[in-house]
Amino acid sequence: MGDTLNLFSLAFYVICVFGICGLMIGMSWLLGGRARGRAKEEPFESGVVGVGSARMRMSAKFYLVAMFFVIFDAEALFLYAWAVSVKEAGWAGFAEAVIFITILLAGLVYLWRIGALEWAPDSRKRLKQQQQSETK
Amino acid sequence: MSGFLAKLQAWFAPIMAWLEPWLPFIFTALTTLAILLIMVIVAAYMIWLERRLLGLWQDRYGPNRVGPFGLGQVVADMLKIFFKEDWVPSFVDKPTFIIAPVIAMSMMMLGFAVIPLSPTLGVADLNIGVLFFLAIAGLSVYAVMLGGWSSNSKYALLGGIRSTAQTISYEVFMGLALMGVVMQAGSFSLRDIVNAQAGMWNVIPQFLAFLAWVPAALAVTHRTPFDLPEAESELVQGYHTEYSGMKFGMFMVSEYVGIVMVSGLTTTLFFGGWHGPGAEQYPILGLVWFCAKTFLFMCSYILVRAALPRPRYDQIMAAGWKFCLPLTLVNLLLTAAVVLWNSGV
């Protein structure tokens, strides 16, 4: 009975949440005004007429971050499973987790050292090195 | 008169008898609806609270014209935004453009489902509560990503991509930070986690995790100083540049719903949930304690916005990957060692 009520409560909550969202979208569609304008159908670019489309090429850095996320989050998932069963896994499990986390941290240090986590372009990095060597 | 009452009773008796087995369901449904509505109204009033508090801290008034203390401002704004044009620009990807604000708002509201409000109150008591929250936080990234992409506008795309990269970076260690708390309670259920904090609030033994959780919580709600996706000084409005009317309003409200949800979660995970003097004897006092603590964190969100400048994007990413991630991993090992030591395995 308690379980059924629990699930019923969750299901009802989910339905209500999407109901509210639908209501908000629907009401504003129903109540909102309609207006036409000359430059209305242009993407907003602070008043400047846009050049080219928004389907442009992004810095590869963002894809790199996405890959790191997949790698580290997938590894974090194993730790989730370990977190709820620390006592059952005991010290043997702890030792294994230490090895696992050490490998994880080694990967992070490697990424750090090769500059995968740096966001500044190479030109700025060179500038910084130059400044450092000048001050020396 | 008494004859009439008896007739009325006789007439209602079969209905009551038929209704009897459904009463707990009706009661649960009403409680659930009340929690949801109160949460949304509180979130809407966060807008008022934020404007008033920011006003206070910046030596000005903030909204004080509509109703007492300007309390009617939220209602007035809401009525106004309902009558604004529900505009879908011709250059956008229509279905995605409409779905994005719905995802933003519904995910933030769904996260509240697993939070226990008092010893007896709460929407649902899931045994995977923490995982549920992490899944919801992961899904809410789609709102920003789809919103930014479907707008077909450069500012929106830049904001959306930035935000996605930032949020997923912070999600990696947000989960790991919570695992320390999970270890101490030995369960993913938020109710168990609250019960495990009867002696001491998690913020003391899990202080390192709390240090990592604070920026992660700010990042998941896109609040200052982590509001780079909508940095108005460089990206106009970021991913919702092309949104207007209620769809923009939904992005806006979802941010405040997120604050309420994450504040409630901070209370639950690190500050003992409903625990407080007298909460064991009187469950209703537990609700008061929970609300008071949550309110404190909601105000601290606004204080952070009033006090801190916005850092550079590379600084935010560096703080996440180079500081918080190793910190949470170390915290995880320390917690596991202490838990194992104490249990004497």
Side-chain angles (χ1 to χ4, degrees):
Chain A
M1 191 66 188
D3 252 12
T4 327
L5 266 184
N6 215 359
L7 282 180
F8 167 74
S9 180
L10 184 67
F12 187 73
Y13 187 82
V14 172
I15 292 169
C16 285
V17 161
F18 284 104
I20 286 181
C21 291
L23 203 73
M24 283 170 90
I25 291 269
M27 284 256 286
S28 70
W29 179 76
L30 212 69
L31 296 174
R34 305 274 188 277
R36 294 169 56 81
R38 207 148 39 89
K40 206 172 169 182
E41 300 297 335
E42 279 172 26
F44 180 78
E45 281 182 28
S46 308
V48 181
V49 177
V51 176
S53 86
R55 295 287 168 262
M56 52 190 180
R57 295 161 80 178
M58 299 300 296
S59 164
K61 203 76 214 180
F62 291 107
Y63 301 93
L64 214 56
V65 171
M67 274 188 256
F68 296 161
F69 168 71
V70 172
I71 296 167
F72 280 94
D73 217 34
E75 285 172 356
L77 282 181
F78 291 112
L79 292 175
Y80 290 6
W82 175 57
V84 275
S85 54
V86 192
K87 284 174 194 160
E88 286 85 344
W91 287 107
F94 180 76
E96 283 162 22
V98 168
I99 295 169
F100 185 70
I101 288 178
T102 313
I103 296 171
L104 210 63
L105 281 176
L108 188 67
V109 169
Y110 173 72
L111 290 177
W112 196 332
R113 290 291 299 277
I114 62 169
L117 299 175
E118 305 296 331
W119 282 78
D122 286 344
S123 55
R124 202 191 300 168
K125 234 179 291 172
R126 276 199 295 276
L127 200 72
K128 208 173 170 185
Q129 279 164 357
Q130 222 168 41
Q131 281 167 349
Q132 274 168 354
S133 60
E134 272 167 21
T135 49
K136 274 173 200 167
Chain B
M1 190 65 198
S2 63
F4 174 71
L5 272 181
K7 254 186 206 166
L8 206 66
Q9 215 168 16
W11 195 74
F12 268 114
I15 299 179
M16 288 309 288
W18 180 80
L19 224 55
E20 188 83 61
W22 298 104
L23 272 181
F25 285 93
I26 294 169
F27 183 71
T28 312
L30 287 178
T31 324
T32 306
L33 196 64
I35 291 174
L36 177 63
L37 288 183
I38 289 173
M39 196 257 294
V40 172
I41 290 168
V42 167
Y45 267 92
M46 267 296 287
I47 300 173
W48 172 83
L49 183 76
E50 168 159 51
R51 292 178 65 188
R52 287 297 297 214
L53 281 181
L54 280 181
L56 182 75
W57 287 320
Q58 293 169 353
D59 272 344
R60 54 188 177 84
Y61 284 117
N64 65 348
R65 283 288 173 269
V66 192
F69 307 107
L71 275 167
Q73 188 69 47
V74 173
V75 183
D77 285 347
M78 205 157 70
L79 283 178
K80 185 181 134 191
I81 210 165
F82 265 120
F83 286 94
K84 289 285 169 191
E85 181 174 1
D86 180 49
W87 183 48
V88 180
S90 59
F91 50 84
V92 303
D93 185 71
K94 205 171 168 186
T96 336
F97 188 79
I98 296 173
I99 285 173
V102 175
I103 298 178
M105 188 142 170
S106 58
M107 287 311 145
M108 287 302 176
M109 290 201 279
L110 282 180
F112 206 77
V114 289
I115 299 178
L117 304 181
S118 85
T120 49
L121 206 61
V123 175
D125 187 15
L126 294 186
N127 54 3
I128 50 159
V130 174
L131 292 184
F132 182 84
F133 164 70
L134 290 173
I136 290 295
L139 281 174
S140 67
V141 177
Y142 279 104
V144 177
M145 200 168 82
L146 293 178
W149 177 81
S150 69
S151 292
N152 233 332
S153 151
K154 285 167 203 152
Y155 284 127
L157 185 70
L158 281 172
I161 299 256
R162 252 196 201 185
S163 167
T164 310
Q166 176 196 316
T167 318
I168 60 177
S169 297
Y170 276 70
E171 236 156 58
V172 173
F173 67 81
M174 182 167 74
L176 287 173
L178 296 188
M179 283 316 122
V181 176
V182 169
M183 261 179 203
Q184 291 213 312
S187 162
F188 281 128
S189 161
L190 287 173
R191 206 166 275 280
D192 292 347
I193 288 173
V194 173
N195 287 332
Q197 297 176 64
M200 188 197 284
W201 291 356
N202 266 339
V203 68
I204 296 166
Q206 288 295 318
F207 188 70
L208 294 179
F210 182 67
L211 273 187
W213 164 257
V214 170
L218 284 168
V220 86
T221 47
H222 308 301
R223 289 286 299 182
T224 354
F226 294 94
D227 64 342
L228 283 131
E230 40 195 299
E232 55 265 41
S233 51
E234 36 192 298
L235 286 180
V236 190
Q237 273 297 313
Y239 57 92
H240 53 61
T241 302
E242 296 296 336
Y243 281 89
S244 59
M246 201 62 214
K247 293 202 196 70
F248 161 75
M250 285 173 84
F251 272 123
M252 181 90 176
V253 173
S254 83
E255 189 178 310
Y256 291 96
V257 174
I259 294 175
V260 176
M261 189 260 279
V262 170
S263 301
L265 215 60
T266 312
T267 309
T268 310
L269 292 165
F270 291 101
F271 287 84
W274 66 73
H275 285 301
E280 274 74 25
Q281 290 89 5
Y282 311 100
I284 192 76
L285 211 58
L287 184 65
V288 174
W289 279 115
F290 177 84
C291 292
K293 289 177 197 172
T294 306
F295 182 73
L296 198 72
F297 288 115
M298 279 154 54
C299 292
S300 67
Y301 262 95
I302 302 166
L303 181 60
V304 163
R305 172 170 176 182
L308 292 182
R310 186 187 297 131
R312 247 172 27 219
Y313 191 68
D314 62 320
Q315 290 170 330
I316 282 191
M317 298 300 268
W321 286 103
K322 295 178 182 172
F323 177 70
C324 291
L325 182 59
L327 183 76
T328 51
L329 286 172
V330 169
N331 174 62
L332 206 62
L333 284 179
L334 285 179
T335 313
V338 171
V339 165
L340 278 176
W341 186 264
N342 284 342
S343 69
V345 179

